[in-house]
Amino acid sequence: MMGSRAGWRRRAAVLLLVAVSLSAVLATPAAAASAAADSGEAGRAAEQHSERISGSAGDVLEDNPVGRLKVFIYDLPRKYNKKMVTNDPRCLNHMFAAEIFMHRFLLSSAVRTLNPKEADWFYTPVYTTCDLTPAGLPLPFKSPRVMRSAIQYISNKWPFWNRTDGADHFFVVPHDFGACFHYQEEKAIERGILPLLRRATLVQTFGQENHVCLKEGSIIIPPYAPPQKMQAHFIPPDTPRSIFVYFRGLFYDTGNDPEGGYYARGARASLWENFKNNPLFDISTDHPPTYYEDMQRAVFCLCPLGWAPWSPRLVEAVVFGCIPVIIADDIVLPFADAIPWEEIGVFVEEKDVPKLDTILTSMSIEDILRKQRLLANPSMKQAMLFPQPAQPRDTFHQILNGLARKLPHPEGVYLQPGEKHLNWTAGPVGDLKAW
């Protein structure tokens, strides 16, 4: 046992040394030759600063959606969107804020059309997560009623919803479990996707294979992470990555899961119990002011599931060049047709968390260096961000690319006279109450 532990400690030390060398290589072009002489494999493997994504994925990531689709934005009463933000500006900063910034982006986007007859897609700007607790957490319980009310409004005022039952409409639903509108998985599954949205395209952060809260054709996006806040914490790119594994966050949620085992399906509890005293693992519930700087000093950043499979840590890891270690079985990740997640991240099954130290210290140096070069690609980082103003290849444009690739709509989108697919009285009784 002692020999084995000493072995992976030596292995981790070698990997950290290589990471330090790579930091210098990625910092400046002139550093490459020096690093090659000083660090052997690290220098040879890092002849270029970053690596372009190969094949069709790289082309998709760099696509320009302008000219490929037109979007009509419904003009809703302010109570569905802007008034909510006025009442509680905290909505602008939480990880569900994608619905707000997508609306703002589209209002001035080149893909917007004021003529609904020429639109390929229709967008309903409703902010279903902007109802916060005193602690700043979104309450999803009114969301179905808010969404139903908005859909009733557009179906009564315009003819476009009724001709397709919403099949040429898209909605941003960044809740924990998307349009199932609940933060606990068991109850989200019980609810299912709001019946009125079952023909629409959903743009959502939640993604898990074979899950009732992920409908076919949904566009999976990253959660919102404040880009200006992250940029304010950038440190010099030649800073050594002297932390092997990094994580800050909850391991238990005693308030909502007092018996334990349900939160994060036990994966976070397993992390703590197995590695709280491991010197290679810098893990804690503390959230220091140097959090962003620490991620830039780490080789691996843990991205375990919480109540839902996704979290902003994935965005932060990519932006800060820290290899994301994704612990969430069957997760569907953002823009999977454009971002080669298998190449830039490490996937660990939840049952294998106790073996995480062995898994990470067993990785080859070449594999780690290649992941870091891919993470250094600016297009990769840009695709995970919602900058204001928008920039080419950012998350806004990746969403539009996803919508453009769904065109032209199939013939079955448009209903025949008398044909209906949606049941307006379906769903829990509480959802049917007026909002």
Side-chain angles (χ1 to χ4, degrees), residues 95 223 268 303-304 306 308-315:
M95 61 184 175
R268 292 197 186 199
C303 303
W310 58 271
S311 86
R313 290 178 188 83
L314 186 69
V315 177

Side-chain angles (χ1 to χ4, degrees), residues 142-275:
K142 295 179 184 176
S143 301
R145 293 163 55 202
V146 175
M147 185 66 80
R148 281 180 56 88
S149 176
I151 293 173
Q152 286 176 325
Y153 181 85
I154 63 171
S155 67
N156 289 333
K157 186 169 182 178
W158 291 276
F160 309 107
W161 174 274
N162 299 315
R163 70 183 185 180
T164 66
D165 269 354
D168 54 354
H169 289 54
F170 71 93
F171 294 81
V172 181
V173 283
H175 276 279
D176 290 286
F177 291 93
C180 288
F181 295 126
H182 208 286
Y183 63 89
Q184 291 183 335
E185 184 174 20
E186 188 177 78
K187 293 180 180 178
I189 291 173
E190 182 182 327
R191 288 186 52 84
I193 291 173
L194 186 72
L196 291 184
L197 294 177
R198 287 179 179 164
R199 277 175 63 84
T201 290
L202 302 181
V203 178
Q204 61 185 65
T205 45
F206 171 75
Q208 183 172 315
E209 294 176 4
N210 304 314
H211 199 286
V212 299
C213 299
L214 177 63
K215 67 188 292 287
E216 185 178 356
S218 297
I219 297 174
I220 308 302
I221 64 172
Y224 177 78
Q228 289 83 358
K229 182 179 177 181
M230 287 191 288
Q231 289 164 5
H233 288 267
F234 280 139
I235 61 178
D238 58 349
T239 302
R241 291 191 177 269
S242 54
I243 301 170
F244 192 59
V245 179
Y246 188 75
F247 175 77
R248 290 294 183 272
L250 290 178
F251 298 98
Y252 303 91
D253 188 346
T254 54
N256 294 299
D257 182 28
E259 297 180 5
Y262 187 74
Y263 176 63
R265 297 196 284 254
R268 292 197 186 199
S270 181
L271 277 172
W272 180 247
E273 295 304 328
N274 283 281
F275 304 113

